[in-house]
């Protein structure tokens, strides 16, 4: 019963909040496969009602379940504290101009201790001023990875010195995971919640 109630709520919320361009709204109950129903049940037990990328990810239930497990580690168990993990997520959202991702993580970054002026600079596509040392190291690392698809020896050495090899792998994995989420959201054209204004201007092309 809980699954069917959740599906009804999802469909109603989407019909009220989504723009017409939403390519992957919630799947109607009578269209779900058994694997999708099982993935939804597992998600409900672990996190509650799926929103955002999870609505689209239900199209591939095994990917949804495995992505949730990776997300649980990267968000809550990695060696990076919330201030830094959310900083990495915001940089990724900005690189992909992913409005939903930015909106979902901006307040988490503030709660984690990231300074508003640092987030504002990221949103505007600028290098933040007055970053903490660990933020500057992560900024250089992530920006090189996004822009150059590689990391210089100097930048790599600073990251390993500060965060260790596990921290470097956690950072790369966090970045890569949210690149995937950005791609899913951009492909699905997942809309922002109703009444939310997009925070990111498109980059010039």
């Amino acid at each position: 019963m809980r699954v069917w109630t959740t599906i009804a709520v999802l469909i109603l919320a989407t019909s009220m909040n989504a723009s017409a361009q939403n390519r992957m709204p919630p799947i109607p109950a009578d269209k779900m496969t058994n694997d999708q129903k099982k993935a939804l049940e597992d998600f409900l037990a672990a996190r509650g009602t799926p929103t955002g990328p999870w609505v689209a990810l239900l199209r591939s239930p095994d990917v949804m379940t495995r992505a949730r497990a990776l997300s649980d580690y990267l968000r809550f168990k990695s060696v990076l504290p919330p201030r830094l993990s959310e900083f990495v997520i915001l940089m990724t959202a900005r690189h992909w101009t992913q409005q939903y991702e930015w909106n979902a993580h901006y307040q988490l970054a503030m709660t984690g201790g990231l300074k508003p002026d640092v987030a504002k600079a990221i949103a505007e596509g600028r290098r933040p001023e007055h970053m903490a040392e660990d933020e500057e190291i992560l900024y250089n690392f992530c920006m090189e990875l996004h822009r150059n698809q590689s990391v210089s020896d100097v930048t790599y050495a600073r990251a390993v010195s500060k965060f260790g090899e596990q921290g470097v792998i956690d950072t790369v994995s966090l970045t890569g995971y949210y690149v995937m989420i950005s791609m899913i959201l951009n492909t699905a054209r997942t809309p922002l919640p109703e009444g939310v204004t997009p925070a990111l201007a498109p980059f010039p092309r």
Side-chain angles (χ1 to χ4, degrees):
M1 178 64 69
R2 185 183 179 195
V3 172
W4 309 124
T5 301
T6 300
I7 292 169
V9 170
L10 281 169
I11 293 173
L12 177 61
T14 300
S15 65
M16 293 173 61
N17 296 339
S19 65
Q21 69 177 0
N22 186 5
R23 289 170 168 168
M24 293 188 179
I27 303 169
D30 61 348
K31 301 295 184 182
M32 280 192 187
T33 67
N34 289 335
D35 287 343
Q36 287 171 334
K37 292 173 184 175
K38 177 62 166 60
L40 178 57
E41 288 176 356
D42 291 345
F43 193 96
L44 287 168
R47 292 197 180 187
T49 302
T51 58
W54 304 106
V55 175
L57 275 164
L58 188 56
R59 269 73 183 176
S60 184
D62 283 349
V63 172
M64 179 187 189
T65 298
R66 286 163 172 76
R68 175 169 58 83
L70 181 58
S71 171
D72 286 344
Y73 171 77
L74 293 173
R75 289 278 313 283
F76 309 117
K77 299 179 182 179
S78 85
V79 301
L80 299 179
R83 171 176 57 88
L84 296 181
S85 62
E86 295 297 334
F87 183 41
V88 171
I89 294 168
L90 291 186
M91 284 188 279
T92 306
R94 171 64 278 189
H95 186 76
W96 284 85
T97 313
Q98 210 335 283
Q99 308 287 358
Y100 190 100
E101 189 171 289
W102 181 277
N103 179 70
H105 287 274
Y106 175 83
Q107 192 54 54
L108 293 173
M110 297 300 99
T111 301
L114 190 69
K115 294 179 180 177
D117 60 333
V118 171
K120 183 174 186 292
I122 295 298
E124 294 173 354
R126 298 184 288 106
R127 181 184 180 87
E129 299 178 353
H130 311 301
M131 287 184 284
E133 180 193 21
D134 52 5
E135 293 168 356
E136 181 184 11
I137 291 170
L138 274 185
Y139 178 87
N140 292 340
F141 187 95
C142 292
M143 287 299 102
E144 286 187 23
L145 197 57
H146 282 304
R147 294 169 179 169
N148 304 335
Q149 293 80 54
S150 64
V151 177
S152 68
D153 289 342
V154 171
T155 299
Y156 175 79
R158 289 191 71 197
V160 170
S161 177
K162 187 67 178 179
F163 304 110
E165 290 183 337
Q166 181 180 350
V168 167
I169 292 300
D170 283 2
T171 298
V172 173
S173 299
L174 184 65
T175 300
Y177 174 80
Y178 277 95
V179 166
M180 180 188 77
I181 294 298
S182 294
M183 288 180 169
I184 289 168
L185 290 166
N186 284 351
T187 298
R189 294 181 179 171
T190 302
L192 282 164
E194 185 178 11
V196 175
T197 301
L200 306 176
F203 281 136
R205 295 186 182 276

